[in-house]
Amino acid sequence: MSSAPVARRQLSAQMRAKRLSAGMTIEQVADELEWSSTKVSNIETGRSKHPAVSDVRLLLGIYRVTDQREVDALLDLTRQSRKRGWWSRYDDVLTGA
């Protein structure tokens, strides 16, 4: 199992590759899902630190990813990317709050 930041980078790269394989632009995907293009872009760049499993599932549907093992692997990667590291328990100390 990889760390959340590594999983997020892997997920981002794979989601961008899926969109490009589908021959779609970020704007087309956003229009199809009635999302902002920023939301799609944030998932693809990793700026979305906790992407929703349901959002990734919708994107995979738009990209016509039908191989269930591939879908399951990407959804598991999404779940891994959402996990908080051990250091998050110390946010109050580390941020000086």
Side-chain angles (χ1 to χ4, degrees):
M1 183 185 305
S2 62
S3 70
V6 172
R8 193 167 40 254
R9 282 192 291 272
Q10 291 172 339
L11 177 66
S12 297
Q14 290 189 35
M15 294 309 292
R16 182 174 191 271
K18 296 298 178 200
R19 178 180 56 78
L20 293 174
S21 291
M24 298 181 79
T25 66
I26 287 176
E27 291 77 18
Q28 289 170 323
V29 173
D31 287 345
E32 182 79 21
L33 293 172
E34 297 182 6
W35 290 355
S36 69
S37 57
T38 302
K39 180 174 180 171
V40 178
S41 176
N42 285 347
I43 291 171
E44 288 189 8
T45 60
R47 279 185 238 136
S48 177
K49 296 199 187 280
H50 305 288
V53 173
S54 58
D55 289 348
V56 172
R57 189 183 310 273
L58 287 170
L59 287 169
L60 294 174
I62 296 293
Y63 302 155
R64 293 178 175 77
V65 177
T66 57
D67 181 311
Q68 193 58 49
R69 287 176 29 203
E70 186 175 14
V71 169
D72 290 343
L74 288 167
L75 294 178
D76 285 343
L77 196 56
T78 304
R79 289 180 188 99
Q80 289 176 28
S81 76
R82 295 177 53 82
K83 292 187 178 176
R84 294 187 175 271
W86 61 266
W87 55 88
S88 65
R89 288 178 274 166
Y90 303 99
D91 281 346
D92 61 329
V93 174
L94 297 173
T95 60

XYZ file of all heavy atoms in Angstrom:
769
model
N 0.850 -1.173 0.000
C 0.000 0.000 0.000
C 0.902 1.245 0.000
O 1.869 1.320 0.721
C -0.903 0.007 1.227
C -1.854 1.173 1.216
S -2.861 1.346 2.699
C -3.637 -0.216 2.806
N 0.547 2.213 -0.826
C 1.342 3.428 -0.915
C 0.751 4.515 -0.018
O -0.348 4.407 0.479
C 1.385 3.905 -2.361
O 0.092 4.208 -2.812
N 1.533 5.573 0.159
C 1.050 6.689 0.969
C -0.013 7.456 0.187
O -0.103 7.347 -1.041
C 2.211 7.605 1.328
O 2.663 8.288 0.171
N -0.788 8.242 0.903
C -1.861 9.010 0.270
C -1.342 9.948 -0.824
O -1.917 9.984 -1.912
C -2.656 9.774 1.320
N -0.256 10.705 -0.589
C 0.228 11.588 -1.658
C 0.678 10.826 -2.912
O 0.423 11.258 -4.030
C 1.399 12.327 -1.014
C 1.124 12.282 0.449
C 0.450 10.954 0.673
N 1.312 9.679 -2.712
C 1.743 8.874 -3.863
C 0.521 8.320 -4.592
O 0.438 8.370 -5.828
C 2.692 7.739 -3.411
C 2.983 6.774 -4.555
C 3.986 8.325 -2.859
N -0.438 7.821 -3.844
C -1.668 7.302 -4.453
C -2.397 8.405 -5.212
O -2.914 8.181 -6.314
C -2.577 6.701 -3.379
N -2.412 9.615 -4.651
C -3.079 10.744 -5.306
C -2.394 11.088 -6.627
O -3.046 11.348 -7.627
C -3.119 11.942 -4.362
C -4.030 13.031 -4.823
C -4.317 14.082 -3.753
N -3.195 14.472 -2.927
C -3.025 14.104 -1.664
N -3.888 13.313 -1.059
N -1.981 14.521 -0.977
N -1.069 11.062 -6.645
C -0.344 11.341 -7.891
C -0.614 10.263 -8.932
O -0.801 10.562 -10.114
C 1.153 11.459 -7.619
C 1.539 12.798 -7.018
C 3.034 13.006 -7.033
N 3.741 12.126 -6.122
C 3.983 12.398 -4.853
N 3.579 13.536 -4.327
N 4.641 11.548 -4.099
N -0.630 9.011 -8.501
C -0.919 7.918 -9.424
C -2.339 8.038 -9.982
O -2.558 7.875 -11.180
C -0.754 6.568 -8.717
C 0.669 6.234 -8.378
C 0.780 4.979 -7.513
O -0.176 4.565 -6.845
N 1.957 4.379 -7.511
N -3.284 8.317 -9.098
C -4.672 8.476 -9.523
C -4.801 9.627 -10.514
O -5.455 9.487 -11.550
C -5.572 8.726 -8.306
C -7.042 8.979 -8.618
C -7.696 7.739 -9.204
C -7.770 9.426 -7.351
N -4.180 10.743 -10.208
C -4.251 11.914 -11.080
C -3.750 11.590 -12.477
O -4.406 11.911 -13.473
C -3.427 13.066 -10.499
O -3.954 13.462 -9.268
N -2.601 10.949 -12.549
C -2.019 10.607 -13.851
C -2.915 9.641 -14.615
O -3.126 9.796 -15.836
C -0.630 10.009 -13.656
N -3.464 8.666 -13.920
C -4.313 7.686 -14.591
C -5.631 8.298 -15.052
O -6.126 7.968 -16.130
C -4.542 6.484 -13.687
C -3.264 5.662 -13.535
C -3.496 4.349 -12.831
O -4.537 3.715 -12.997
N -2.525 3.934 -12.040
N -6.201 9.195 -14.252
C -7.458 9.821 -14.664
C -7.246 10.727 -15.880
O -8.076 10.766 -16.786
C -8.078 10.595 -13.499
C -8.531 9.710 -12.354
S -9.605 8.318 -12.839
C -11.055 9.212 -13.351
N -6.140 11.430 -15.923
C -5.831 12.257 -17.093
C -5.656 11.372 -18.326
O -6.179 11.672 -19.396
C -4.578 13.090 -16.853
C -4.262 13.997 -18.026
C -3.094 14.938 -17.702
N -2.964 15.960 -18.697
C -2.238 15.836 -19.808
N -1.578 14.725 -20.049
N -2.182 16.830 -20.673
N -4.941 10.268 -18.168
C -4.730 9.337 -19.279
C -6.065 8.772 -19.776
O -6.270 8.640 -20.994
C -3.793 8.217 -18.860
N -6.963 8.462 -18.864
C -8.286 7.933 -19.252
C -9.074 8.977 -20.045
O -9.724 8.663 -21.031
C -9.094 7.489 -18.024
C -8.496 6.357 -17.269
C -8.404 5.117 -18.107
C -7.745 3.998 -17.333
N -7.223 2.971 -18.236
N -9.005 10.227 -19.594
C -9.718 11.293 -20.316
C -9.154 11.458 -21.714
O -9.902 11.536 -22.703
C -9.630 12.622 -19.559
C -10.316 13.765 -20.312
C -10.228 15.072 -19.577
N -8.890 15.499 -19.240
C -8.029 16.067 -20.117
N -8.367 16.242 -21.373
N -6.828 16.441 -19.706
N -7.840 11.482 -21.817
C -7.215 11.642 -23.124
C -7.516 10.457 -24.040
O -7.776 10.646 -25.237
C -5.700 11.834 -22.972
C -5.283 13.139 -22.284
C -3.774 13.157 -22.040
C -5.727 14.348 -23.095
N -7.537 9.249 -23.476
C -7.894 8.057 -24.259
C -9.328 8.128 -24.765
O -9.641 7.606 -25.841
C -7.717 6.787 -23.434
O -6.360 6.539 -23.191
N -10.183 8.772 -23.975
C -11.583 8.937 -24.383
C -11.739 10.056 -25.412
O -12.831 10.257 -25.953
C -12.453 9.222 -23.165
N -10.652 10.792 -25.645
C -10.691 11.872 -26.635
C -11.498 13.066 -26.178
O -12.107 13.749 -26.995
N -11.477 13.334 -24.885
C -12.283 14.420 -24.339
C -11.403 15.512 -23.744
O -10.310 15.238 -23.252
C -13.227 13.888 -23.256
C -14.218 12.861 -23.755
S -15.319 12.279 -22.457
C -16.469 13.661 -22.398
N -11.917 16.728 -23.770
C -11.253 17.841 -23.095
C -11.823 17.962 -21.682
O -12.898 17.411 -21.383
C -11.496 19.172 -23.830
O -12.888 19.490 -23.746
C -11.050 19.099 -25.285
N -11.126 18.684 -20.854
C -11.616 18.935 -19.496
C -12.974 19.629 -19.560
O -13.889 19.290 -18.803
C -10.598 19.768 -18.693
C -9.400 18.893 -18.326
C -11.227 20.367 -17.442
C -8.282 19.610 -17.618
N -13.118 20.559 -20.469
C -14.379 21.302 -20.592
C -15.526 20.386 -21.001
O -16.648 20.530 -20.501
C -14.225 22.447 -21.600
C -13.324 23.562 -21.117
C -11.820 23.227 -21.194
O -11.432 22.272 -21.927
O -11.048 23.900 -20.486
N -15.277 19.443 -21.902
C -16.328 18.509 -22.321
C -16.779 17.633 -21.147
O -17.975 17.396 -20.968
C -15.830 17.625 -23.467
C -15.677 18.360 -24.778
C -14.962 17.522 -25.827
O -14.033 16.773 -25.524
N -15.398 17.660 -27.071
N -15.818 17.165 -20.381
C -16.150 16.332 -19.212
C -16.959 17.147 -18.205
O -17.979 16.687 -17.688
C -14.862 15.770 -18.556
C -15.182 15.049 -17.258
C -14.130 14.857 -19.519
N -16.508 18.364 -17.949
C -17.207 19.230 -16.996
C -18.634 19.500 -17.468
O -19.575 19.440 -16.661
C -16.438 20.538 -16.822
N -18.814 19.776 -18.732
C -20.158 20.017 -19.267
C -21.039 18.774 -19.117
O -22.203 18.878 -18.739
C -20.095 20.425 -20.744
C -19.583 21.836 -20.940
O -19.538 22.615 -19.960
O -19.211 22.166 -22.090
N -20.484 17.621 -19.417
C -21.234 16.362 -19.348
C -21.726 16.078 -17.923
O -22.841 15.611 -17.721
C -20.347 15.211 -19.833
C -21.007 13.876 -19.850
C -21.923 13.664 -21.044
O -21.766 14.356 -22.058
O -22.809 12.796 -20.934
N -20.877 16.379 -16.936
C -21.224 16.090 -15.540
C -21.827 17.288 -14.807
O -22.172 17.173 -13.635
C -19.977 15.599 -14.792
C -19.439 14.242 -15.245
C -18.105 13.938 -14.586
C -20.450 13.148 -14.939
N -21.909 18.429 -15.501
C -22.379 19.675 -14.900
C -21.519 20.061 -13.701
O -22.017 20.452 -12.645
C -23.868 19.583 -14.536
C -24.746 19.381 -15.749
C -26.221 19.342 -15.425
O -26.626 19.590 -14.271
O -27.001 19.062 -16.357
N -20.213 19.920 -13.887
C -19.211 20.313 -12.908
C -18.467 21.516 -13.459
O -18.563 21.832 -14.645
C -18.184 19.215 -12.693
C -18.638 17.977 -12.000
C -19.851 17.719 -11.440
C -17.850 16.796 -11.810
N -19.868 16.455 -10.903
C -18.653 15.864 -11.116
C -16.563 16.439 -12.149
C -18.194 14.604 -10.755
C -16.100 15.184 -11.794
C -16.910 14.286 -11.095
N -17.671 22.144 -12.631
C -16.765 23.169 -13.129
C -15.551 22.471 -13.738
O -15.191 21.349 -13.335
C -16.313 24.095 -11.996
O -15.466 23.399 -11.108
N -14.925 23.117 -14.692
C -13.704 22.540 -15.273
C -12.600 22.493 -14.215
O -11.726 21.626 -14.260
C -13.266 23.321 -16.511
O -13.076 24.673 -16.200
N -12.666 23.375 -13.242
C -11.681 23.382 -12.156
C -11.748 22.086 -11.351
O -10.716 21.535 -10.969
C -11.911 24.595 -11.237
O -11.828 25.777 -12.008
C -10.901 24.641 -10.111
N -12.951 21.587 -11.116
C -13.099 20.349 -10.349
C -12.431 19.183 -11.073
O -11.692 18.405 -10.468
C -14.579 20.039 -10.102
C -14.808 18.769 -9.315
C -16.266 18.585 -8.972
C -16.468 17.305 -8.178
N -17.817 17.196 -7.640
N -12.662 19.090 -12.379
C -12.042 18.016 -13.171
C -10.529 18.187 -13.156
O -9.779 17.236 -12.926
C -12.579 18.006 -14.615
C -11.902 16.915 -15.433
C -14.088 17.835 -14.634
N -10.078 19.400 -13.380
C -8.648 19.690 -13.401
C -7.994 19.364 -12.064
O -6.894 18.791 -12.017
C -8.421 21.161 -13.750
O -7.059 21.477 -13.695
N -8.652 19.706 -10.966
C -8.087 19.445 -9.639
C -7.914 17.952 -9.370
O -6.961 17.548 -8.707
C -8.942 20.082 -8.548
C -8.762 21.576 -8.477
O -7.842 22.145 -9.053
N -9.657 22.230 -7.764
N -8.811 17.135 -9.884
C -8.668 15.687 -9.734
C -7.465 15.203 -10.549
O -6.678 14.378 -10.094
C -9.964 14.956 -10.141
C -11.071 15.251 -9.123
C -9.734 13.448 -10.274
C -12.447 14.770 -9.522
N -7.294 15.766 -11.743
C -6.204 15.340 -12.616
C -4.833 15.863 -12.185
O -3.824 15.290 -12.573
C -6.464 15.792 -14.056
C -7.561 15.032 -14.725
C -7.667 15.338 -16.198
O -6.793 16.029 -16.757
O -8.639 14.874 -16.804
N -4.796 16.916 -11.425
C -3.514 17.472 -11.000
C -3.157 17.100 -9.564
O -2.049 17.391 -9.119
C -3.512 19.007 -11.112
O -4.540 19.529 -10.276
C -3.693 19.462 -12.548
N -4.092 16.491 -8.857
C -3.844 16.124 -7.475
C -4.118 17.243 -6.488
O -3.882 17.097 -5.303
N -4.613 18.376 -6.982
C -4.947 19.473 -6.066
C -6.151 19.129 -5.202
O -6.321 19.677 -4.134
C -5.206 20.763 -6.840
C -3.914 21.450 -7.209
C -4.174 22.788 -7.864
N -3.532 22.706 -9.170
C -4.046 23.116 -10.306
N -5.223 23.694 -10.324
N -3.395 22.978 -11.420
N -6.973 18.214 -5.703
C -8.100 17.717 -4.895
C -7.528 16.653 -3.972
O -7.269 15.527 -4.381
C -9.174 17.125 -5.804
O -10.213 16.579 -5.047
N -7.299 17.023 -2.716
C -6.600 16.125 -1.797
C -7.437 14.937 -1.346
O -6.907 13.921 -0.930
C -6.098 16.900 -0.592
C -5.065 17.934 -0.972
C -4.258 18.346 0.210
C -3.354 19.495 -0.112
N -2.159 19.160 -0.792
N -8.749 15.062 -1.445
C -9.629 13.980 -1.021
C -10.715 13.754 -2.072
O -11.895 14.023 -1.821
C -10.254 14.289 0.340
C -9.232 14.601 1.388
N -8.415 13.646 1.929
C -8.870 15.770 1.953
C -7.611 14.204 2.795
N -7.858 15.498 2.838
N -10.330 13.266 -3.262
C -11.349 13.067 -4.305
C -12.386 12.042 -3.853
O -12.054 11.041 -3.216
C -10.540 12.547 -5.497
C -9.292 11.980 -4.901
C -9.020 12.778 -3.666
N -13.621 12.326 -4.149
C -14.710 11.427 -3.758
C -14.718 10.202 -4.659
O -14.532 10.308 -5.880
C -16.043 12.147 -3.848
N -14.937 9.050 -4.054
C -15.020 7.802 -4.806
C -16.151 7.909 -5.829
O -16.007 7.479 -6.980
C -15.221 6.596 -3.860
C -15.480 5.316 -4.630
C -14.017 6.443 -2.942
N -17.254 8.526 -5.443
C -18.393 8.668 -6.365
C -18.029 9.542 -7.569
O -18.475 9.278 -8.687
C -19.604 9.239 -5.634
O -19.288 10.491 -5.061
N -17.205 10.566 -7.358
C -16.775 11.421 -8.470
C -15.898 10.641 -9.448
O -16.066 10.742 -10.667
C -16.003 12.645 -7.968
C -16.887 13.658 -7.272
O -18.134 13.541 -7.364
O -16.336 14.573 -6.624
N -14.976 9.861 -8.916
C -14.100 9.064 -9.780
C -14.917 8.022 -10.532
O -14.703 7.794 -11.722
C -12.948 8.425 -8.968
C -12.157 7.437 -9.817
C -12.033 9.512 -8.413
N -15.894 7.431 -9.863
C -16.765 6.452 -10.528
C -17.510 7.106 -11.702
O -17.620 6.537 -12.788
C -17.757 5.866 -9.524
C -18.548 4.683 -10.062
C -19.584 4.179 -9.057
N -19.077 3.939 -7.722
C -18.523 2.793 -7.313
N -18.394 1.796 -8.152
N -18.110 2.658 -6.069
N -18.024 8.323 -11.491
C -18.702 9.043 -12.576
C -17.753 9.329 -13.735
O -18.119 9.168 -14.903
C -19.294 10.353 -12.057
C -20.530 10.236 -11.174
C -20.859 11.585 -10.536
C -21.709 9.718 -11.977
N -16.542 9.751 -13.408
C -15.562 10.022 -14.464
C -15.250 8.762 -15.262
O -15.175 8.809 -16.502
C -14.270 10.587 -13.854
C -14.356 12.022 -13.347
C -13.116 12.367 -12.526
C -14.530 13.001 -14.498
N -15.084 7.651 -14.589
C -14.792 6.400 -15.286
C -15.937 6.012 -16.214
O -15.707 5.469 -17.296
C -14.489 5.285 -14.284
C -13.207 5.488 -13.474
C -13.075 4.395 -12.406
C -11.987 5.534 -14.370
N -17.161 6.303 -15.799
C -18.310 6.053 -16.670
C -18.272 6.923 -17.917
O -18.516 6.438 -19.032
N -17.956 8.190 -17.749
C -17.852 9.122 -18.884
C -16.742 8.678 -19.828
O -16.865 8.781 -21.042
C -17.570 10.559 -18.373
C -18.727 11.080 -17.546
C -17.231 11.505 -19.510
C -19.995 11.316 -18.330
N -15.654 8.157 -19.262
C -14.506 7.727 -20.064
C -14.695 6.326 -20.636
O -13.815 5.812 -21.310
C -13.225 7.767 -19.233
C -12.896 9.120 -18.650
C -12.114 9.227 -17.516
C -13.369 10.299 -19.223
C -11.797 10.463 -16.963
C -13.067 11.537 -18.677
C -12.279 11.600 -17.549
O -11.976 12.832 -17.010
N -15.820 5.711 -20.325
C -16.175 4.383 -20.816
C -15.155 3.306 -20.409
O -14.781 2.452 -21.205
C -16.380 4.398 -22.325
C -17.599 5.198 -22.744
C -17.780 5.247 -24.248
N -18.996 5.900 -24.639
C -19.203 7.213 -24.641
N -18.256 8.010 -24.217
N -20.345 7.719 -25.055
N -14.727 3.387 -19.169
C -13.858 2.355 -18.614
C -14.782 1.252 -18.110
O -15.517 1.450 -17.147
C -12.972 2.909 -17.475
C -12.120 1.806 -16.866
C -12.112 4.058 -17.983
N -14.756 0.107 -18.780
C -15.715 -0.954 -18.473
C -15.089 -2.179 -17.823
O -15.811 -3.010 -17.281
C -16.453 -1.396 -19.754
O -15.488 -1.817 -20.715
C -17.284 -0.249 -20.322
N -13.783 -2.307 -17.881
C -13.112 -3.446 -17.261
C -13.259 -3.316 -15.746
O -12.709 -2.394 -15.134
C -11.640 -3.462 -17.665
C -10.887 -4.640 -17.080
O -11.000 -4.872 -15.858
O -10.172 -5.322 -17.836
N -13.999 -4.228 -15.133
C -14.315 -4.117 -13.711
C -13.075 -4.157 -12.834
O -13.007 -3.467 -11.815
C -15.315 -5.205 -13.288
C -15.926 -4.968 -11.931
C -16.650 -3.627 -11.825
O -17.460 -3.278 -12.672
N -16.350 -2.865 -10.780
N -12.079 -4.937 -13.216
C -10.846 -4.978 -12.419
C -10.130 -3.634 -12.457
O -9.593 -3.181 -11.448
C -9.944 -6.103 -12.914
C -10.515 -7.444 -12.510
C -9.824 -8.682 -12.975
N -8.405 -8.629 -13.212
C -7.767 -9.476 -14.009
N -8.437 -10.426 -14.628
N -6.468 -9.402 -14.173
N -10.156 -2.993 -13.612
C -9.534 -1.671 -13.739
C -10.305 -0.635 -12.926
O -9.713 0.190 -12.224
C -9.473 -1.263 -15.210
C -8.724 -0.004 -15.472
C -8.576 0.297 -16.956
O -9.268 -0.333 -17.790
O -7.766 1.181 -17.261
N -11.623 -0.687 -13.002
C -12.471 0.220 -12.221
C -12.203 0.022 -10.736
O -11.976 0.991 -9.993
C -13.970 0.005 -12.543
C -14.858 0.748 -11.557
C -14.276 0.427 -13.973
N -12.201 -1.231 -10.289
C -11.967 -1.520 -8.878
C -10.591 -1.021 -8.424
O -10.455 -0.462 -7.334
C -12.090 -3.019 -8.599
C -13.524 -3.530 -8.719
O -14.459 -2.695 -8.703
O -13.703 -4.754 -8.841
N -9.586 -1.220 -9.270
C -8.232 -0.777 -8.922
C -8.168 0.744 -8.782
O -7.547 1.270 -7.852
C -7.232 -1.256 -9.972
N -8.832 1.469 -9.678
C -8.831 2.933 -9.609
C -9.634 3.443 -8.418
O -9.255 4.426 -7.790
C -9.328 3.529 -10.923
C -8.337 3.390 -12.079
C -8.999 3.697 -13.404
C -7.135 4.286 -11.853
N -10.717 2.769 -8.093
C -11.498 3.169 -6.917
C -10.731 2.873 -5.626
O -10.782 3.666 -4.683
C -12.867 2.492 -6.921
C -13.798 2.912 -8.066
C -15.114 2.142 -7.994
C -14.027 4.401 -8.095
N -9.990 1.762 -5.599
C -9.141 1.478 -4.434
C -8.042 2.528 -4.309
O -7.732 2.974 -3.200
C -8.516 0.084 -4.547
C -9.502 -1.028 -4.253
O -10.569 -0.743 -3.659
O -9.216 -2.184 -4.618
N -7.469 2.932 -5.436
C -6.451 3.979 -5.428
C -7.042 5.287 -4.911
O -6.400 6.013 -4.151
C -5.894 4.147 -6.841
C -4.595 4.899 -7.005
C -3.477 4.288 -6.183
C -4.206 4.920 -8.482
N -8.280 5.558 -5.269
C -8.972 6.751 -4.776
C -9.116 6.685 -3.259
O -8.848 7.668 -2.555
C -10.367 6.885 -5.425
O -10.219 6.900 -6.848
C -11.073 8.146 -4.961
N -9.518 5.540 -2.759
C -9.669 5.377 -1.301
C -8.321 5.555 -0.594
O -8.253 6.191 0.457
C -10.265 4.011 -0.992
C -11.728 3.906 -1.379
C -12.315 2.531 -1.073
N -13.632 2.422 -1.635
C -13.916 1.812 -2.799
N -12.964 1.224 -3.509
N -15.156 1.777 -3.250
N -7.260 5.014 -1.172
C -5.924 5.174 -0.581
C -5.515 6.643 -0.569
O -4.900 7.111 0.390
C -4.891 4.382 -1.372
C -4.995 2.894 -1.218
C -3.997 2.182 -2.106
O -2.940 2.717 -2.420
N -4.345 0.976 -2.534
N -5.869 7.368 -1.621
C -5.458 8.774 -1.726
C -6.167 9.654 -0.703
O -5.712 10.756 -0.416
C -5.720 9.305 -3.137
O -7.097 9.564 -3.343
N -7.263 9.178 -0.146
C -8.051 9.948 0.814
C -7.580 9.766 2.257
O -7.987 10.510 3.129
C -9.523 9.547 0.716
C -10.157 9.892 -0.618
C -11.595 9.410 -0.686
N -12.384 9.879 0.438
C -12.957 11.079 0.537
N -12.814 11.942 -0.426
N -13.672 11.396 1.599
N -6.736 8.784 2.504
C -6.313 8.501 3.879
C -5.404 9.600 4.399
O -4.575 10.133 3.694
C -5.606 7.156 3.941
C -6.558 6.012 3.684
C -5.906 4.696 3.905
C -6.946 3.606 3.668
N -6.389 2.303 3.756
N -5.585 9.893 5.645
C -4.753 10.899 6.302
C -3.537 10.225 6.909
O -3.620 9.118 7.429
C -5.543 11.618 7.382
C -6.683 12.441 6.817
C -7.315 13.256 7.923
N -8.328 14.125 7.399
C -8.109 15.357 6.964
N -6.892 15.848 6.984
N -9.083 16.104 6.515
N -2.424 10.913 6.855
C -1.183 10.399 7.432
C -1.185 10.526 8.943
O -1.997 11.249 9.527
N -0.266 9.844 9.577
C -0.164 9.872 11.029
C 0.026 11.287 11.556
O -0.405 11.617 12.648
C 0.976 8.975 11.511
C 2.318 9.403 10.987
C 2.933 8.940 9.867
C 3.183 10.396 11.530
N 4.128 9.588 9.677
C 4.307 10.494 10.698
C 3.120 11.229 12.653
C 5.351 11.365 10.930
C 4.165 12.115 12.890
C 5.270 12.164 12.029
N 0.675 12.135 10.751
C 0.977 13.495 11.187
C -0.262 14.377 11.301
O -0.215 15.399 11.966
C 1.981 14.145 10.233
C 1.500 14.111 8.820
C 0.711 15.049 8.199
C 1.718 13.103 7.858
N 0.430 14.672 6.909
C 1.049 13.466 6.675
C 2.418 11.895 7.858
C 1.056 12.688 5.518
C 2.420 11.135 6.698
C 1.761 11.534 5.562
N -1.380 13.976 10.677
C -2.591 14.806 10.740
C -3.133 14.909 12.169
O -3.814 15.861 12.499
C -3.668 14.276 9.791
O -4.111 13.005 10.195
N -2.788 13.941 13.026
C -3.218 13.997 14.423
C -2.538 15.142 15.176
O -2.981 15.543 16.235
C -2.927 12.682 15.132
C -3.860 11.567 14.674
C -3.516 10.295 15.354
N -2.457 9.690 14.529
C -1.695 8.689 14.901
N -1.812 8.158 16.089
N -0.786 8.185 14.100
N -1.463 15.663 14.595
C -0.678 16.700 15.258
C -0.791 18.057 14.549
O 0.046 18.924 14.728
C 0.786 16.268 15.338
C 0.941 14.949 16.043
C 1.099 13.768 15.320
C 0.877 14.869 17.433
C 1.215 12.547 15.966
C 0.999 13.651 18.086
C 1.155 12.487 17.346
O 1.267 11.282 17.985
N -1.846 18.237 13.775
C -2.034 19.489 13.041
C -1.991 20.716 13.950
O -1.423 21.732 13.596
C -3.349 19.484 12.254
C -3.260 18.702 10.966
O -2.131 18.380 10.542
O -4.325 18.418 10.382
N -2.591 20.600 15.110
C -2.610 21.764 16.017
C -1.216 22.141 16.495
O -0.909 23.308 16.671
C -3.541 21.498 17.207
C -3.102 20.314 18.053
O -2.505 19.366 17.486
O -3.387 20.321 19.262
N -0.350 21.172 16.643
C 1.023 21.433 17.075
C 1.872 21.912 15.901
O 2.631 22.876 16.014
C 1.651 20.167 17.698
C 3.111 20.388 18.017
C 0.872 19.731 18.919
N 1.703 21.274 14.762
C 2.531 21.582 13.601
C 2.189 22.920 12.956
O 3.047 23.548 12.350
C 2.425 20.454 12.562
C 2.949 19.101 13.039
C 2.647 18.034 12.020
C 4.435 19.169 13.338
N 0.953 23.368 13.098
C 0.553 24.645 12.504
C 0.726 25.812 13.469
O 0.531 26.952 13.098
C -0.913 24.613 12.042
O -1.739 24.353 13.170
C -1.131 23.558 10.965
N 1.042 25.506 14.700
C 1.234 26.551 15.692
C -0.053 27.143 16.221
O -0.078 28.222 16.776
N -1.156 26.396 16.058
C -2.459 26.889 16.527
C -2.591 26.812 18.016
O -1.978 26.122 18.711
C -3.576 26.065 15.886
